[in-house]
Amino acid sequence: MTIPLNIPITPVRRLPFNGRSLSEVTAELTDEIRELYTADQVPWVIGYSGGKDSTAVLQLIWLALQDLPAEQRTKQVHVISTDTLVENPVVAAWVNTSLSTMREAASEQGLPIEPHALRPEIKDTFWVNLIGRGYPAPRPKFRWCTERLKIKPSNSFIRNVVAAHGEAIMVLGIRKAESQARARAMEKHEKHRVRDRLSPNANLPNSLVYSPVEDWTNDDVWEFLMQVPNPWGYNNHDLLTMYQGASDDGECPLVVDSTTPSCGSSRFGCWTCTLVEQDKSMTAMIRNDEEKEWMTPLLELRDKLDAPFGYIEDKNDPELPAGKKVPHPRSDKPARDFRRMNGKVMLFNDGASAIHGPYLQDYREKWLRDLLEAQTWIRANAPEHVSNINLITPEELDEIRRIWVFDKHEVEDSLPRIYREATGEHFPGGPLDEQLVMGADEMEILKEICDGDPLHYDMVRELLSVERKYRTMTRRAGLFQALEEAVKKGYYEDHDDALAFAQRKKQWRDDVAQHLTFDEEIGFDAPA
């Protein structure tokens, strides 16, 4: 008998929990959790994002603590959730409501579970850095957002717990099945485990990591969530619906057999994220649910931030079908200053081009206007439950205004005007030091005097700002150094002149260094 070889083979998925019953697996894990919980007085910190994995972990711990006698519930369990202030609004609302429900349920049931909503410091928020300081939209090689928005708030909380109790145990919903990189990292830390299931934390001293669902698959997680009721009164079926709405095909079925696909590919995160080619979850939400079409301005604004690296039609490629769009990197250099944040010109390793710095003033003002216009439109057209949405907080606006006027010397103080034009309302922030602000009429006159030379205009404006800043000081120490730095930033004719100057400076250094002895080279390099 011959066996046909052209029949496609469908991969066989393993049964949930490798064929073991859900009750058996749940009982085993809750017993383990109770044993670890009662073994010492080290407080627990659970990372909760509102997604399926962290929900499953918190649910397991909640169930385990429910079965403990009241006298053994002596150790605090902190549930921390970090709001980056640019989370997907649907997910953010879900998490905030969940934390409130959780707090009430824990109090009613007498459980030592305390939820905490964490936020980044104002100086670290996304818009303060992008619109205020001019950081370019995050890229894989300049991923400035993750540390500031997510890691620092949670690490700060954990360090405070460690400082108060000497140690902490972090409980996370990480799983080996998420990716090969995650599996390798977890297996590496397993070699140094204590008490069988607690791994060392490489980033935070005196803290251990417990990952109770590390060996579960997506199917296992959904099997548990759909069959075990949520103990703090939230509805896991609503969570499933949210994942379903964020899936491209709109399907997120229950696991009924080994061939049923699971709902594990939906990813939620910051709606401003430019580290991915496309926000697939928000796109799917808008496409699958008419009631979520109000998020369209967010998607459009995110794509504007990512525009320099978007998909465009390559009409010069004869091999490409008509209308086909391909990745075609376009430089964002026109939007960015050719000088770094400190005003210096730095060269790439090859020395042929400059490393561009922050967004220029025009582009930062454009991002702010677009953001405020999107917020105004959503408030006027979105459902009532998001009618008061803040895409940017008043505190962030105040900090951006301060950076523009005092740090970047943009003394025309344009933020209140942009706010009024974009929202139709007066800016609610307080007044700035009038000594450091100049009127729009004066700045227009200065532009005319500079005859359209932006570098000359920026330099003179900064010189005026520095002089006005030091005017009221009793001791004016540092004035001449500040004036000198302002001149250094603006004494180029244009980008090409600055690049040529930096290249000549590099060549001179290289030539001199070749003719120095070892001792002379040390003396030459040290002052530099």
Side-chain angles (χ1 to χ4, degrees), residues 242-293:
M242 186 167 67
Y243 269 83
Q244 181 181 22
S247 300
D248 286 335
D249 55 6
E251 294 186 4
C252 194
L254 298 180
V255 178
V256 294
D257 57 36
S258 60
T259 62
T260 305
S262 71
C263 187
S265 59
S266 299
R267 290 291 182 181
F268 303 113
C270 302
W271 66 266
T272 57
C273 184
T274 51
L275 294 170
V276 293
E277 293 179 357
Q278 181 187 19
D279 189 335
K280 295 181 180 179
S281 64
M282 183 176 284
T283 302
M285 282 183 174
I286 295 171
R287 183 168 55 243
N288 295 336
D289 188 350
E290 291 182 359
E291 292 186 359
K292 293 186 175 64
E293 288 183 356

Side-chain angles (χ1 to χ4, degrees), residues 140-330:
K141 292 185 177 180
F142 188 40
R143 191 171 181 164
W144 54 264
C145 52
T146 306
E147 171 73 19
R148 291 172 171 82
L149 303 185
K150 295 186 177 181
I151 297 176
K152 286 178 67 174
S154 58
N155 282 5
S156 177
F157 182 91
I158 294 166
R159 287 193 182 97
N160 289 336
V161 172
V162 170
H165 300 275
E167 196 174 4
I169 294 176
M170 298 174 58
V171 188
L172 304 177
I174 52 177
R175 297 181 297 107
K176 295 176 183 177
E178 291 180 79
S179 67
Q180 292 182 354
R182 173 60 59 82
R184 286 195 298 267
M186 293 178 69
E187 290 167 358
K188 175 183 176 182
H189 291 302
E190 282 179 10
K191 299 176 182 178
H192 306 285
R193 277 184 166 173
V194 296
R195 276 186 279 163
D196 295 332
R197 293 298 299 270
L198 302 182
S199 302
N201 188 331
N203 299 317
L204 290 171
N206 296 334
S207 63
L208 299 171
V209 175
Y210 175 41
S211 47
V213 298
E214 61 184 22
D215 294 319
W216 285 17
T217 64
N218 291 325
D219 295 343
D220 298 338
V221 174
W222 284 117
E223 176 90 6
F224 172 74
L225 292 177
M226 292 301 102
Q227 296 196 36
V228 178
N230 186 296
W232 60 88
Y234 231 41
N235 192 334
N236 288 342
H237 288 274
D238 291 341
L239 178 63
L240 176 69
T241 301
M242 186 167 67
Y243 269 83
Q244 181 181 22
S247 300
D248 286 335
D249 55 6
E251 294 186 4
C252 194
L254 298 180
V255 178
V256 294
D257 57 36
S258 60
T259 62
T260 305
S262 71
C263 187
S265 59
S266 299
R267 290 291 182 181
F268 303 113
C270 302
W271 66 266
T272 57
C273 184
T274 51
L275 294 170
V276 293
E277 293 179 357
Q278 181 187 19
D279 189 335
K280 295 181 180 179
S281 64
M282 183 176 284
T283 302
M285 282 183 174
I286 295 171
R287 183 168 55 243
N288 295 336
D289 188 350
E290 291 182 359
E291 292 186 359
K292 293 186 175 64
E293 288 183 356
W294 61 267
M295 292 194 295
T296 301
L298 303 186
L299 199 60
E300 293 174 348
L301 182 55
R302 181 260 167 213
D303 290 343
K304 286 181 181 179
L305 289 173
D306 199 34
F309 294 86
Y311 281 70
I312 63 172
E313 183 177 347
D314 190 349
K315 296 181 179 180
N316 297 321
D317 188 350
E319 301 295 327
L320 207 62
K324 176 69 174 179
K325 294 186 177 182
V326 296
H328 190 89
R330 290 172 289 172

Side-chain angles (χ1 to χ4, degrees), residues 97-111:
T97 306
S98 178
L99 292 176
S100 299
T101 306
M102 194 185 303
R103 186 175 293 106
E104 295 176 5
S107 177
E108 293 173 357
Q109 299 175 29
L111 297 177

Side-chain angles (χ1 to χ4, degrees), residues 30-62:
T30 51
D31 284 343
E32 176 183 276
I33 291 169
R34 281 188 289 270
E35 180 181 348
L36 288 171
Y37 177 84
T38 57
D40 52 45
Q41 289 301 311
V42 180
W44 285 13
V45 180
I46 304 175
Y48 177 72
S49 66
K52 65 184 191 307
D53 297 332
S54 60
T55 299
V57 166
L58 179 55
Q59 193 163 310
L60 282 167
I61 292 172
W62 197 295

Side-chain angles (χ1 to χ4, degrees), residues 284-514:
M285 282 183 174
I286 295 171
R287 183 168 55 243
N288 295 336
D289 188 350
E290 291 182 359
E291 292 186 359
K292 293 186 175 64
E293 288 183 356
W294 61 267
M295 292 194 295
T296 301
L298 303 186
L299 199 60
E300 293 174 348
L301 182 55
R302 181 260 167 213
D303 290 343
K304 286 181 181 179
L305 289 173
D306 199 34
F309 294 86
Y311 281 70
I312 63 172
E313 183 177 347
D314 190 349
K315 296 181 179 180
N316 297 321
D317 188 350
E319 301 295 327
L320 207 62
K324 176 69 174 179
K325 294 186 177 182
V326 296
H328 190 89
R330 290 172 289 172
S331 174
D332 64 347
K333 290 181 180 179
R336 295 167 59 185
D337 198 330
F338 61 82
R339 298 161 295 187
R340 303 307 300 272
M341 198 77 75
N342 58 9
K344 296 181 179 180
V345 178
M346 295 183 64
L347 301 175
F348 276 108
N349 293 333
D350 58 5
S353 58
I355 301 175
H356 280 57
Y359 284 132
L360 297 167
Q361 180 179 354
D362 289 347
Y363 284 87
R364 287 184 279 108
E365 291 181 349
K366 175 182 179 298
W367 296 136
L368 178 62
R369 186 183 300 276
D370 288 348
L371 180 63
L372 290 172
E373 288 177 350
Q375 175 177 283
T376 303
W377 186 91
I378 291 173
R379 288 181 174 181
N381 296 277
E384 185 176 354
H385 67 276
V386 289
S387 60
N388 294 319
I389 190 171
N390 275 328
L391 299 184
I392 183 170
T393 65
E395 294 79 11
E396 289 177 289
L397 289 170
D398 286 337
E399 178 63 8
I400 290 171
R401 185 187 186 192
R402 186 198 66 77
I403 291 172
W404 284 4
V405 173
F406 297 117
D407 295 350
K408 293 186 174 294
H409 307 287
E410 294 163 3
V411 291
E412 56 266 47
D413 191 21
S414 59
L415 190 144
R417 172 182 56 80
I418 295 172
Y419 185 91
R420 183 176 62 254
E421 293 172 354
T423 67
E425 302 173 359
H426 287 290
F427 180 64
L432 293 178
D433 185 349
E434 293 299 328
Q435 294 292 329
L436 299 176
V437 176
M438 298 181 68
D441 293 339
E442 290 90 338
M443 303 315 295
E444 285 300 322
I445 294 174
L446 179 58
K447 285 183 179 179
E448 292 178 8
I449 295 174
C450 294
D451 195 25
D453 185 340
L455 289 179
H456 188 195
Y457 170 75
D458 289 345
M459 182 183 69
V460 175
R461 181 180 62 179
E462 183 168 345
L463 289 171
L464 289 171
S465 174
V466 169
E467 194 280 329
R468 290 167 74 91
K469 175 182 177 181
Y470 280 87
R471 178 186 301 176
T472 57
M473 294 183 178
T474 305
R475 281 188 79 248
R476 306 181 74 183
L479 169 62
F480 292 112
Q481 182 179 355
L483 292 173
E484 183 180 0
E485 290 298 323
V487 172
K488 284 182 178 179
K489 292 180 186 177
Y491 62 19
Y492 311 108
E493 291 184 5
D494 50 28
H495 166 267
D496 293 338
D497 181 42
L499 179 61
F501 176 83
Q503 289 171 336
R504 290 196 301 271
K505 186 176 180 181
K506 179 180 182 300
Q507 184 62 48
W508 177 80
R509 285 180 177 274
D510 293 344
D511 291 344
V512 171
Q514 289 179 0

